[in-house]
Amino acid sequence: MWRDTELTRTLGIALPIVQAPMAGSTTPEMVAAVSEAGGLGSLGAAMMTPDAIRDAIRRVKSLTARPFNVNLFALTPPEVDAEAARRGAELMAAYRRELALPEQPPLPNRLMEQFHEQAEAILQEGVAVFSFTFGLPSADWIGRFRKAGTAIVGTATHPAEAAALAEAGCDMISAQGLEAGGHRGSFLKSFDEGQIGLMALLPQVRRACRLPVLAAGGIMTGEGIAAALALGAAGAQLGTAFLTTHESAAHPVHKAALPQAAEMGTEVTRVFSGRPARSLRNRMLRELQPHADRVPPYPAPLALNAQIYQKARAEGLADFMSLWSGQGGALCRTMGAGELMARLAEETDTAVALLAGRA
Ligand SMILES: Cc1cc2nc3c(=O)[nH]c(=O)nc-3n(C[C@H](O)[C@H](O)[C@H](O)COP(=O)(O)O)c2cc1C
């Protein structure tokens, strides 16, 4: 019976388990494997060009006929503040020397992809579900996705954000607890006000809006899925758990570090991108965290530090890259995404049966 929720009924899928969108880590193969296994696969498309988004959607559709989700950052990129960029570059100077990079980072003229171009590509290709984080798209965009029959999912870290997303016409809310890996989705409330653990957040989000809620943050096993459903969630959204699957595009050193999450610890930090995000506590995080107020706002650091991050990826230097992880990172398992889905469903069966037996 736990399989029968507003999420599974609305989308006609078998399992109320969502593989979270993760820009840079999700692949068409992961999305298709999860949807084929009965869940909802999600493509994190925020860092992709419109053409790459079109190609990826077509690739997923070539692998599965089942519903899947495509996700963007609902954000207008700010102008680069030259003074803030200079201070940010200064902060990284020692690392640039250590990695034998040119002293000054080249400043790109385009900091990030444009939401409207990306959204247009998604609309043209047509997908069952469109989700977003970091904000709220304009009424015009919400209207266009609604008209296309796409289910719209907005991300909330606070009940007030959930209420605003519902008012704007979203169909579902992804409630992102403080435990979650990757960037915080806060947009109306300050990041501090949005630091609410999932167990406290979920019932408040349900009270703030009458929409089905997806529970995100720290869920790694079937027991966690059962707990989320017991709290009233229509689905459980797992990100970190899928980072170590065979289909994940996470860097091998990132995958290798996740099982040590308990020893390394995780922390919400601005040092990598200029926007609070939960990462494993590696050298860069530990050293820069005391100077986080000098890091320019998102997304400037991604551009300013691009050479550092590229070198770290090329040479597998875990000290110099963001190692996004939720608080449950140590529970990651290495296997195919479809196999992980089957395990999660079995574990949820067991957890639900155990509770029913006690009742
Ligand atoms: C590596 C990584 C990248 C992420 N990228 C995105 C993204 O592009 N869009 C988004 O809405 N959420 C993103 N998230 C957040 C997830 O949607 C979700 O809230 C989170 O993974 C849930 O917590 P968990 O990682 O503990 O399962 C990302 C999370 C991780 C771990």
Side-chain angles (χ1 to χ4, degrees):
M1 283 304 284
W2 62 267
R3 290 169 166 79
D4 183 18
T5 72
E6 275 176 284
L7 173 71
T8 56
R9 280 197 298 278
T10 307
L11 297 180
I13 61 176
L15 297 169
I17 303 175
V18 179
Q19 162 257 309
M22 296 184 282
S25 297
T26 51
T27 59
E29 289 71 22
M30 180 194 290
V31 175
V34 170
S35 288
E36 273 297 293
L40 182 70
S42 308
L43 184 75
M47 317 278 254
M48 295 164 75
T49 63
D51 280 346
I53 292 175
R54 281 193 190 89
D55 288 347
I57 291 175
R58 288 177 195 169
R59 172 89 181 128
V60 179
K61 287 182 176 174
S62 76
L63 297 169
T64 183
R66 303 221 167 131
F68 63 95
N69 166 32
V70 180
N71 170 276
L72 293 180
F73 296 163
L75 196 75
T76 311
E79 296 291 314
V80 187
D81 170 346
E83 174 54 22
R86 193 196 56 74
R87 269 183 286 130
E90 218 174 73
L91 201 58
M92 306 303 285
Y95 293 145
R96 300 187 70 82
R97 277 194 296 276
E98 185 176 335
L99 295 172
L101 290 168
E103 202 174 323
Q104 284 303 322
L107 257 195
N109 37 26
R110 185 172 177 153
L111 282 182
M112 59 188 282
E113 297 299 327
Q114 301 287 326
F115 174 86
H116 64 273
E117 294 173 5
Q118 295 173 310
E120 194 69 57
I122 297 171
L123 260 181
Q124 279 168 9
E125 292 302 317
V127 294
V129 184
F130 168 62
S131 76
F132 55 85
T133 185
F134 295 3
L136 180 51
S138 67
D140 181 47
W141 278 111
I142 297 281
R144 289 183 66 191
F145 276 102
R146 287 194 76 83
K147 204 165 156 212
T150 311
I152 306 170
V153 184
T155 305
T157 62
H158 189 283
E161 292 173 348
L165 292 166
E167 174 73 25
C170 287
D171 298 294
M172 280 180 250
I173 305 294
S174 171
Q176 190 188 40
L178 175 63
E179 303 90 334
H183 284 102
R184 307 292 306 142
S186 307
F187 64 99
L188 278 183
K189 292 290 180 175
S190 69
F191 291 105
D192 283 343
E193 286 170 299
Q195 303 222 28
I196 308 176
L198 183 59
M199 194 167 280
L201 177 65
L202 211 137
Q204 295 186 71
V205 164
R206 286 188 69 219
R207 193 177 288 191
C209 67
R210 294 181 178 279
L211 298 179
V213 180
L214 309 178
I219 304 174
M220 304 294 292
T221 61
E223 290 93 328
I225 294 169
L229 296 173
L231 280 172
Q237 177 171 325
L238 290 70
T240 302
F242 284 92
L243 283 176
T244 48
T245 59
H246 301 324
E247 293 87 345
S248 159
H251 194 282
V253 299
H254 186 182
K255 290 184 178 184
L258 281 162
Q260 304 158 46
E263 296 80 45
M264 288 179 82
T266 68
E267 191 165 337
V268 175
T269 181
R270 288 182 65 249
V271 304
F272 295 110
S273 71
R275 194 182 159 95
R278 186 176 294 283
S279 168
L280 295 178
R281 210 180 270 130
N282 63 354
R283 178 180 153 198
M284 200 167 146
L285 196 166
R286 288 194 312 271
E287 291 178 354
L288 292 184
Q289 189 64 10
H291 313 286
D293 54 343
R294 284 161 58 200
V295 175
Y298 182 93
L302 295 179
L304 287 169
N305 306 343
Q307 289 177 325
I308 295 176
Y309 297 151
Q310 276 156 15
K311 185 145 192 173
R313 285 187 75 83
E315 298 182 9
L317 310 172
D319 281 345
F320 296 104
M321 60 172 91
S322 53
L323 300 172
W324 305 139
S325 170
Q327 289 183 326
L331 298 171
C332 270
R333 292 174 267 194
T334 304
M335 57 178 72
E339 193 188 345
L340 178 59
M341 286 295 296
R343 291 273 188 99
L344 291 169
E346 272 170 35
E347 290 168 2
T348 312
D349 276 335
T350 308
V352 169
L354 267 174
L355 281 175
R358 274 188 224 156

